[in-house]
Amino acid sequence: MARIVVITHEYDELLKRRGMLRRWTSSYMLYDIVCELQRRKHEVVVARGLSSRPTGHAALLHVDATVTPDDYVDYGRSFPLCLNVAAADISKRKVSGAVLDANDGWNGPVIVKSNRNSAGDPERRMNRLARRAGQAEPFPEIPEIGEYRIYDTPGEIPDGVTADPNRSVERFVAEREPDGFALRFWVFCGEAERCTRYVSSHRLVKAARFIRKEAVPVPDELRQRRRQLGFDYGKFDFVVHEGKAILLDANKTPGRPQNLTNLLAEGSANLADGFEGMLLQHGL
């Protein structure tokens, strides 16, 4: 059996106590996978911060920040195998295939997002915890961007927005349905995966609010994009627009929505299989 180290930031909260009974739980999908790996007799150690730096056969870099700090990446590289060590930057401008190019002639609707994962909320949360501990903010100067905004044409975008490095201006490439809009979520760990298409009445589709869902295949171009971005574990959000698969978001620390906890728990065995497959590939 392997000793697996989950590398989190000093101010990450992979595990929390909730409810009247103060039971341990998590807002991350990784929680169910870890429970399954432990059930299979693997030892899982959570390294919160870099003070102790435990060793192990393998590691997973699970720092919930858009750009993982270099010292955490360096720690991950010290292991024989470290998942996602090559996926340190998941900013929208880096991963999205819909980023607006002034030379592409697009004159349709556009959407303005935060360039950071989850609008920078994880970084601001860690900053608050650091301040409470009397320490310096690990991610200073993270502005509040607010809700995503959709404009009918690029000409409606306010001055200064396109050049703002804290924002990502993208083509709004919707996958339309007669009763709403669709978005596809590809979850993977090694060679294990599931890909689901969710339909919602909202233009901004969330897995937490949908009309229906169905299993769908993963397009080859998404597999190639995953290799380019260096992802071993995570979740890709994408649409198929005019016959082309377009990646919109890539997350290396995917969440665990409350209304999907049972579904995620059921899928944890498959993703744990993928983790064990990578261990075997590396002779671990």
Side-chain angles (χ1 to χ4, degrees), residues 198-211 259:
Y198 288 86
V199 176
S200 170
S201 58
H202 298 267
R203 287 197 293 181
L204 301 178
V205 183
K206 299 289 185 182
R209 56 186 191 192
F210 63 91
I211 300 169
N259 69 321

Side-chain angles (χ1 to χ4, degrees), residues 22-238:
R22 305 296 292 165
R23 290 175 176 168
W24 286 108
T25 186
S26 177
S27 57
Y28 294 98
M29 187 173 67
L30 181 64
Y31 174 75
D32 296 300
I33 303 171
V34 165
C35 290
E36 177 63 21
L37 290 170
Q38 290 175 323
R39 191 188 67 78
R40 299 181 186 187
K41 307 304 181 184
H42 295 287
E43 180 185 2
V44 181
V45 178
V46 177
R48 190 171 180 180
L50 299 172
S51 58
S52 60
R53 297 186 183 230
T55 58
H57 301 98
L60 168 63
L61 196 56
H62 198 272
V63 174
D64 192 5
T66 304
V67 179
T68 303
D70 290 341
D71 47 358
Y72 284 87
V73 175
D74 291 341
Y75 175 38
R77 293 191 188 280
S78 70
F79 290 82
L81 166 67
C82 182
L83 278 63
N84 284 356
V85 74
D89 184 349
I90 59 169
S91 57
K92 295 291 193 302
R93 291 183 178 220
K94 180 178 178 65
V95 306
S96 176
V99 173
L100 187 66
D101 184 341
N103 298 318
D104 66 10
W106 178 264
N107 197 38
V110 293
I111 183 168
V112 177
K113 306 177 180 178
S114 168
N115 190 41
R116 292 180 174 83
N117 183 50
S118 298
D121 288 342
E123 287 94 338
R124 282 190 291 273
R125 181 173 62 250
M126 286 189 274
N127 285 343
R128 288 194 298 271
L129 291 173
R131 290 195 301 269
R132 290 173 190 169
Q135 302 298 318
E137 294 183 354
F139 302 99
E141 300 179 2
I142 303 292
E144 292 271 4
I145 298 299
E147 296 292 327
Y148 290 175
R149 293 290 305 275
I150 299 174
Y151 299 92
D152 290 334
T153 67
E156 296 180 11
I157 301 172
D159 292 342
V161 168
T162 302
D164 184 352
N166 294 303
R167 289 176 167 84
S168 176
V169 180
E170 305 178 19
R171 293 172 286 130
F172 183 68
V173 282
E175 186 171 335
R176 298 183 183 274
E177 285 288 305
D179 53 349
F181 300 83
L183 185 62
R184 303 172 189 230
F185 298 92
W186 177 29
V187 175
F188 51 81
C189 185
E191 295 184 1
E193 64 186 25
R194 63 176 177 269
C195 190
T196 309
R197 182 175 183 266
Y198 288 86
V199 176
S200 170
S201 58
H202 298 267
R203 287 197 293 181
L204 301 178
V205 183
K206 299 289 185 182
R209 56 186 191 192
F210 63 91
I211 300 169
R212 63 182 184 277
K213 62 184 177 69
E214 61 180 339
V216 291
V218 179
D220 289 340
E221 54 263 49
L222 262 291
R223 297 190 187 280
Q224 179 180 355
R225 191 70 180 119
R226 175 186 166 186
R227 289 191 292 270
Q228 292 171 342
L229 294 172
F231 269 74
D232 301 297
Y233 162 74
K235 180 172 76 75
F236 281 9
D237 301 356
F238 69 100

Side-chain angles (χ1 to χ4, degrees), residues 255-281:
R256 188 171 176 257
Q258 289 296 306
N259 69 321
L260 297 178
T261 51
N262 291 337
L263 175 65
L264 296 176
E266 291 170 2
S268 62
N270 179 46
L271 297 180
D273 288 343
F275 201 119
E276 288 186 321
M278 285 183 281
L279 292 175
L280 289 173
Q281 289 174 10

